[in-house]
Amino acid sequence: MGKSRRKQKVIPPPELPPDVPEEDIEFSDEDLKFVKENTDYARFVSRIDTGAINRQCGGKVKTVEDKYEEERSKKKAHLEEKVKSSEIQVDPVDVLPVKNLDGTLHYRTVTKKSKLAEADTDDAEMDVLQDENTLNKSQRRAKAKKSKKEAKKQGKEFPEEIIQEEEETPQAAVLAEVKEELSAEERFETKKNKLAELGTELLSDPEAHIKSLKEMLEISKDENTKIVKLSLLSLLAVFKDIIPGYRIRLPTEKELEMKVSKEVKKTRFYESTLLNAYKAYLNKLIILERQTVYNQVATRCICTLLDAVPHFNYRDNLLSSVVRNISSPDEVVRRLCCSTIRSLFSNEGKHGGELTVDAVRLIAEHVKSYNCQLHPNSIEVFMSIRFDEDIGKRDSEDKNLKKSKKNNKRINQEEQNQGQENERKKSKLEMMSKIRDEVNADYKRETYEPDAKERRKMQTETLSRVFETYFRILRNTMHSIGESTEADTTSNHGAFGYHPLLAPCLDGLAKFTQQLDLDYIGDLMNYLKKLASSSSVSNNSKQKNSKLLTVSERLRCCLVAFKVMRSNLNALNVDLQDFFVQLYNLILEYRPGRDSGEVLAESLKIMLCDDRHQDMQKAAAFVKRLATFALCFGCAESMSALVTLKILLQRNIKCRNLLENDAGGGSVSGSISKYQPYATDPNLSGALATVLWELSLLTKHYHPSISTMAATISNMNTSQNQTFLSAVSPQQAFADFSLERESFEPKNETRKLNNKRKRESSEEAKNVPEIDMVEVKKKLIEKFTIVRGIKEDEKARMECS
């Protein structure tokens, strides 16, 4: 049963040869010879009754091909029925019917197909295509040849799909790729050569070949990035060379109506085409500058043009794009823009100072729009501005010199008229004076120097913009510090930090304090006090708040305050005691890896070393704090602290009593009898009541120079006749030891001594005999009993007495 239920293997019939009409059949000589030799077989085949066989089988015997044709015809009939059924009948209200002869009404139908019918037809067509794909290669080739012949006869174009079927081979695909690469390289080389030819023509004779600028601009519209970059750079070189030394003014309508000569028309055509091409080039640069692919190339072209021809037309567009990218996250773009603006500030002779005013105004607006969250380089460029305090004085001096020269010339002329021999000298002097005047006139034209009033006006405007930006940064910093709460501690900072512009702002204030008006100095000092007093720990939660200022920034505030006071010492009367208190507390908050040691060394030099008038209690407090500071940090910090300590002891003789060994500070202890190391005010610390015991530890320092410095300080006497000269400043000491830190390697003598001690102790431990614990116990019991008896005897004696 199981075997009968199994499916038997179906053996497919053999493939039949293709149907060939009888007319096309060709008989070979071998076939004819075979029929002649086998006449019996030929008679048997010819006598077969095919009609009887067909009647017995119920008709003609169906082959595989016949069945395939029947299924295909059924599919076509089914599709036609679906198409007929998919016709939509129009509503009788919309269209009038047609009356037939027999009296029946016939309504028209639309030949529109439904979506289902269209989908069925598409499926059927796909089936037909699949059936065609099942053909053999020989059948496909034969079909392609027939279609070719039919297309040639009908005069139609041969379909591309058949060509692709014949030519689709891996070798053909590789050849096509190679051809495309070769064509791209050839195209690049041709355009490159074309740009070189056009550029050389323009540089050789710009007026004759000014139209080639349009061709170069057309090449810059190519899709290939290399060609676009090459065209931009070549146009930059051409414009940089052919732009004239003056600003082009296009003629008005009235001037165009006037009759002019051919040369004037030629120059007008040249200037107008040059200006239009330059404008189109700048527009293209500004568009490409916002794309990441062409950002660096476009900004380089813009910066080069602004630096090379700042006097020419459309310079405001160039300047605005440069200022917009002055705080770009791309380092290359940012450096290009900053260097261009620095060159504009330092070389005002090219533009007469007008671009300086515009650049400062744009930077101030840029800082305001971004709420002071920019890269520090965007404000550091202000350090390149030069303010001339003696505007107008030089012009008056030059006029006086010219008058004196004229008077001398008159005197010389009178003397020369007396004698005929001096006529040659007179002619030479006249020629020399004429040449000098021409050279000076040309120099003034090239440098575009305005009048003294205009220069003074531009300088005041730039100063007001610069200080407006600086005060805005200080105000924004104060506002951010005031709003910092527990919720703000977890807030994310900007791309350049919480206060990126504060450090360059303080540096600029320190440099330009002489140009600042005295009315604003009081407000500036109040701002600096508040910023310097902002601690790095919040008062409410005692948690570190990242929005508050760091130690380096607070030290910078103290430095700026002292620099402002020094530059305006005669006009101000401000107490700097608060800044000394902040420095006294910041010395303990300093951390070498986190904060800047250079700023600390500079503050020690300016605030302690350069200030000669100091209170004795304050100087002693700083001496004690610097000694403890030198014990905790590296060589550079400790050396700068020891140098400052030495200078303070040299200037304050009474503070040398701290070097004595007795407690209480020797003969001078002050009003406070006990030293308070955690006091916030140096005047209330009572440092004179202590001793500099830190110096004895520093004499054993691993670095020889620090140990020698500590030894020299501890050997100082209290006599007033001694004089010491300090040749090294704290800044110089910090710089020297920071460079020496990498190369210096301390000696390992302490390690060797420790190893020797360990070895000796191990040898002694080996020589010690083993202890018998039983004997030790017996001896302890005996000793205990003896002591106990002695104590009992003493008690009895006391009772008897």
Side-chain angles (χ1 to χ4, degrees):
M1 293 293 288
K3 288 182 180 180
S4 62
R5 286 181 182 177
R6 290 178 183 174
K7 292 182 179 180
Q8 295 180 357
K9 265 190 177 181
V10 179
I11 301 169
E15 292 182 1
L16 296 174
D19 289 334
V20 182
E22 294 179 356
E23 298 174 356
D24 296 334
I25 295 171
E26 295 179 1
F27 298 100
S28 63
D29 297 334
E30 293 178 358
D31 295 332
L32 295 172
K33 186 178 179 181
F34 178 79
V35 171
K36 287 178 182 179
E37 291 176 358
N38 300 307
T39 53
D40 298 331
Y41 177 78
R43 288 175 186 174
F44 172 75
V45 173
S46 60
R47 289 175 185 174
I48 291 172
D49 191 2
T50 56
I53 294 168
N54 291 334
R55 284 195 298 273
Q56 190 176 0
C57 295
K60 188 177 179 181
V61 178
K62 293 182 180 179
T63 60
V64 177
E65 295 174 354
D66 296 335
K67 290 179 180 180
Y68 175 77
E69 290 293 333
E70 284 181 2
E71 289 179 0
R72 196 168 182 181
S73 61
K74 285 179 182 179
K75 282 183 180 180
K76 286 182 180 180
H78 185 63
L79 283 171
E80 289 175 358
E81 288 177 1
K82 279 190 174 182
V83 169
K84 288 179 182 179
S85 63
S86 64
E87 290 179 353
I88 301 168
Q89 188 175 1
V90 181
D91 192 7
V93 178
D94 297 333
V95 182
L96 293 174
V98 179
K99 193 172 184 180
N100 295 329
L101 295 173
D102 56 355
T104 58
L105 296 174
H106 175 69
Y107 291 96
R108 296 179 184 178
T109 57
V110 181
T111 60
K112 186 177 179 181
K113 294 182 181 179
S114 63
K115 292 182 179 180
L116 294 171
E118 290 177 359
D120 292 335
T121 53
D122 292 335
D123 293 337
E125 289 176 0
M126 289 296 293
D127 292 336
V128 171
L129 288 171
Q130 287 177 1
D131 293 336
E132 289 179 355
N133 289 330
T134 56
L135 298 174
N136 297 328
K137 289 184 179 179
S138 60
Q139 293 174 357
R140 286 182 198 168
R141 288 174 185 171
K143 192 174 180 181
K145 287 179 182 179
K146 286 181 182 179
S147 59
K148 275 184 182 180
K149 289 177 182 178
E150 289 175 359
K152 285 180 181 179
K153 288 178 182 178
Q154 294 177 2
K156 296 179 180 179
E157 292 182 356
F158 189 68
E160 294 179 359
E161 296 177 357
I162 298 167
I163 296 168
Q164 288 178 0
E165 287 179 359
E166 289 182 358
E167 295 181 356
E168 275 186 355
T169 58
Q171 295 178 355
V174 172
L175 287 170
E177 290 178 359
V178 172
K179 285 180 181 179
E180 288 179 358
E181 290 178 358
L182 290 172
S183 62
E185 289 180 358
E186 290 176 357
R187 206 183 318 137
F188 177 74
E189 289 294 330
T190 52
K191 289 190 177 181
K192 185 178 177 181
N193 295 328
K194 185 69 174 175
L195 285 169
E197 290 175 1
L198 295 172
T200 50
E201 288 177 357
L202 278 165
L203 294 174
S204 61
D205 192 359
E207 293 183 358
H209 303 92
I210 193 64
K211 291 183 179 179
S212 14
L213 283 173
K214 294 181 180 179
E215 296 182 12
M216 295 180 77
L217 287 169
E218 288 293 329
I219 293 170
S220 66
K221 297 177 182 178
D222 197 87
E223 295 179 357
N224 192 356
T225 57
K226 292 182 180 179
I227 294 170
V228 173
K229 290 179 181 179
L230 192 63
S231 61
L232 292 175
L233 293 172
S234 57
L235 281 166
L236 171 66
V238 170
F239 279 119
K240 189 178 175 182
D241 190 67
I242 67 173
I243 283 174
Y246 56 90
R247 190 178 297 178
I248 294 173
R249 185 185 68 81
L250 295 176
T252 59
E253 294 180 358
K254 291 182 180 180
E255 291 176 353
L256 291 171
E257 291 176 358
M258 295 171 63
K259 291 183 180 180
V260 292
S261 61
K262 291 182 179 180
E263 293 181 356
V264 175
K265 286 182 180 179
K266 190 176 180 181
T267 54
R268 282 182 180 178
F269 176 75
Y270 170 72
E271 289 178 351
S272 62
T273 50
L274 175 62
L275 197 60
N276 292 327
Y278 186 67
K279 184 179 179 181
Y281 177 61
L282 292 184
N283 292 330
K284 189 168 186 62
L285 285 176
I286 291 167
I287 292 167
L288 293 176
E289 176 261 325
R290 295 174 182 175
Q291 299 179 9
T292 55
V293 181
Y294 306 106
N295 189 10
Q296 293 184 2
V297 177
T299 50
R300 188 180 292 278
C301 295
I302 290 168
C303 293
T304 308
L305 284 173
L306 185 61
D307 192 13
V309 286
H311 63 277
F312 198 61
N313 303 60
Y314 307 113
R315 63 182 184 181
D316 296 333
N317 299 328
L318 293 171
L319 185 62
S320 61
S321 64
V322 169
V323 172
R324 187 172 61 250
N325 291 319
I326 200 171
S327 183
S328 175
D330 191 356
E331 189 177 358
V332 177
V333 175
R334 188 172 64 248
R335 285 182 178 178
L336 283 170
C337 296
C338 292
S339 63
T340 303
I341 290 175
R342 286 195 190 96
S343 67
L344 288 176
F345 289 160
S346 58
N347 301 319
E348 289 186 351
K350 293 182 179 180
H351 50 84
E354 295 177 359
L355 277 180
T356 303
V357 180
D358 296 336
V360 171
R361 178 179 55 80
L362 288 172
I363 291 169
E365 293 174 357
H366 197 58
V367 171
K368 184 180 179 181
S369 61
Y370 280 89
N371 198 16
C372 302
Q373 294 297 320
L374 296 172
H375 196 272
N377 292 340
S378 57
I379 300 299
E380 285 178 357
V381 295
F382 286 162
M383 302 292 284
S384 301
I385 300 174
R386 297 177 182 176
F387 295 105
D388 191 3
E389 296 179 357
D390 300 329
I391 295 175
K393 292 182 180 180
R394 294 178 182 175
D395 297 335
S396 61
E397 290 177 358
D398 292 337
K399 289 180 181 179
N400 293 326
L401 288 171
K402 287 180 180 178
K403 288 180 180 179
S404 63
K405 286 180 180 178
K406 286 181 180 179
N407 294 325
N408 293 327
K409 284 180 182 178
R410 288 176 184 175
I411 294 166
N412 292 327
Q413 286 177 2
E414 290 176 357
E415 291 177 354
Q416 287 172 4
N417 291 327
Q418 293 177 2
Q420 296 179 356
E421 295 178 356
N422 296 328
E423 289 181 357
R424 295 179 182 177
K425 294 182 180 179
K426 181 181 177 181
S427 62
K428 287 181 181 180
L429 290 170
E430 288 178 355
M431 289 292 291
M432 291 293 289
S433 63
K434 287 180 182 179
I435 291 167
R436 284 175 183 172
D437 293 336
E438 290 176 358
V439 169
N440 290 326
D442 293 335
Y443 180 71
K444 285 184 178 180
R445 287 174 188 172
E446 289 179 0
T447 53
Y448 302 98
E449 287 186 0
D451 298 334
K453 292 181 180 179
E454 293 180 0
R455 280 188 288 164
R456 193 178 292 109
K457 185 180 179 181
M458 288 188 290
Q459 184 167 322
T460 52
E461 190 175 353
T462 45
L463 265 174
S464 63
R465 289 285 184 179
V466 167
F467 282 111
E468 179 187 352
T469 307
Y470 286 158
F471 276 99
R472 179 176 285 113
I473 293 164
L474 293 176
R475 205 180 304 118
N476 187 11
T477 308
M478 290 285 297
H479 185 67
S480 63
I481 291 170
E483 287 185 350
S484 61
T485 57
E486 293 181 5
D488 293 332
T489 55
T490 57
S491 61
N492 294 324
H493 59 84
F496 306 109
Y498 285 111
H499 312 292
L501 301 181
L502 183 61
C505 169
L506 294 172
D507 294 337
L509 286 169
K511 183 179 180 181
F512 301 126
T513 49
Q514 293 180 356
Q515 283 79 23
L516 184 62
D517 194 358
L518 294 175
D519 298 333
Y520 298 103
I521 290 177
D523 298 332
L524 176 61
M525 297 298 287
N526 291 328
Y527 277 131
L528 294 173
K529 281 182 184 179
K530 291 178 182 178
L531 291 173
S533 62
S534 62
S535 62
S536 59
V537 179
S538 59
N539 297 323
N540 297 328
S541 60
K542 293 184 180 180
Q543 293 177 356
K544 288 185 178 179
N545 194 342
S546 55
K547 276 193 174 182
L548 297 174
L549 299 183
T550 60
V551 174
S552 301
E553 290 172 346
R554 293 166 66 190
L555 286 171
R556 282 178 186 274
C557 294
C558 299
L559 286 171
V560 171
F562 271 80
K563 288 178 181 178
V564 169
M565 283 296 297
R566 283 189 181 177
S567 60
N568 301 287
L569 189 59
N570 297 325
L572 291 175
N573 187 12
V574 180
D575 187 13
L576 299 173
Q577 182 62 29
D578 295 336
F579 296 102
F580 281 111
V581 172
Q582 295 302 323
L583 177 63
Y584 185 73
N585 295 319
L586 287 171
I587 290 171
L588 291 180
E589 295 182 13
Y590 175 80
R591 298 294 178 270
R594 182 190 63 186
D595 304 319
S596 176
E598 296 176 355
V599 178
L600 179 63
E602 187 180 0
S603 60
L604 291 175
K605 178 183 179 298
I606 292 173
M607 297 177 69
L608 297 177
C609 298
D610 294 344
D611 191 10
R612 296 181 180 179
H613 303 286
Q614 290 180 357
D615 188 17
M616 184 175 62
Q617 290 284 347
K618 183 172 66 177
F622 274 105
V623 166
K624 182 65 178 176
R625 175 95 9 132
L626 289 171
T628 55
F629 175 81
L631 284 172
C632 303
F633 299 108
C635 299
E637 290 85 357
S638 60
M639 194 65 189
S640 61
L642 288 174
V643 168
T644 310
L645 188 149
K646 184 180 178 182
I647 293 169
L648 289 174
L649 289 176
Q650 288 172 0
R651 291 179 181 172
N652 299 282
I653 300 169
K654 293 182 180 180
C655 292
R656 296 178 195 172
N657 293 314
L658 295 171
L659 299 171
E660 296 179 358
N661 294 326
D662 56 339
S667 59
V668 181
S669 61
S671 59
I672 301 168
S673 60
K674 188 178 179 180
Y675 175 59
Q676 297 177 1
Y678 297 105
T680 57
D681 193 352
N683 293 318
L684 302 175
S685 63
L688 289 170
T690 185
V691 180
L692 290 176
W693 53 266
E694 294 89 354
L695 293 175
S696 63
L697 294 177
L698 288 169
T699 53
K700 300 176 183 179
H701 199 273
Y702 68 90
H703 203 286
S705 56
I706 293 173
S707 61
T708 53
M709 176 63 77
T712 54
I713 293 169
S714 60
N715 292 327
M716 290 173 68
N717 297 325
T718 58
S719 60
Q720 296 183 3
N721 296 325
Q722 275 189 333
T723 57
F724 298 92
L725 297 173
S726 61
V728 182
S729 64
Q731 283 180 297
Q732 188 177 354
F734 181 82
D736 294 340
F737 278 83
S738 60
L739 292 172
E740 190 184 355
R741 187 183 299 169
E742 299 178 357
S743 60
F744 179 74
E745 293 182 0
K747 297 179 180 180
N748 295 326
E749 294 178 356
T750 56
R751 292 181 182 178
K752 292 178 180 179
L753 291 172
N754 292 328
N755 292 328
K756 287 181 179 179
R757 289 173 183 174
K758 287 179 182 179
R759 289 173 186 173
E760 289 175 357
S761 60
S762 61
E763 289 176 357
E764 289 176 357
K766 289 179 181 179
N767 296 325
V768 172
E770 293 182 0
I771 299 170
D772 191 0
M773 297 303 294
V774 178
E775 292 180 358
V776 172
K777 192 174 182 181
K778 288 179 181 180
K779 289 179 180 179
L780 288 172
I781 290 168
E782 290 175 357
K783 188 176 182 181
F784 178 73
T785 53
I786 292 165
V787 172
R788 187 177 180 183
I790 292 167
K791 286 183 178 180
E792 288 177 357
D793 293 337
E794 288 179 355
K795 285 180 182 179
R797 288 175 186 175
M798 290 293 290
E799 289 175 358
C800 292
S801 62

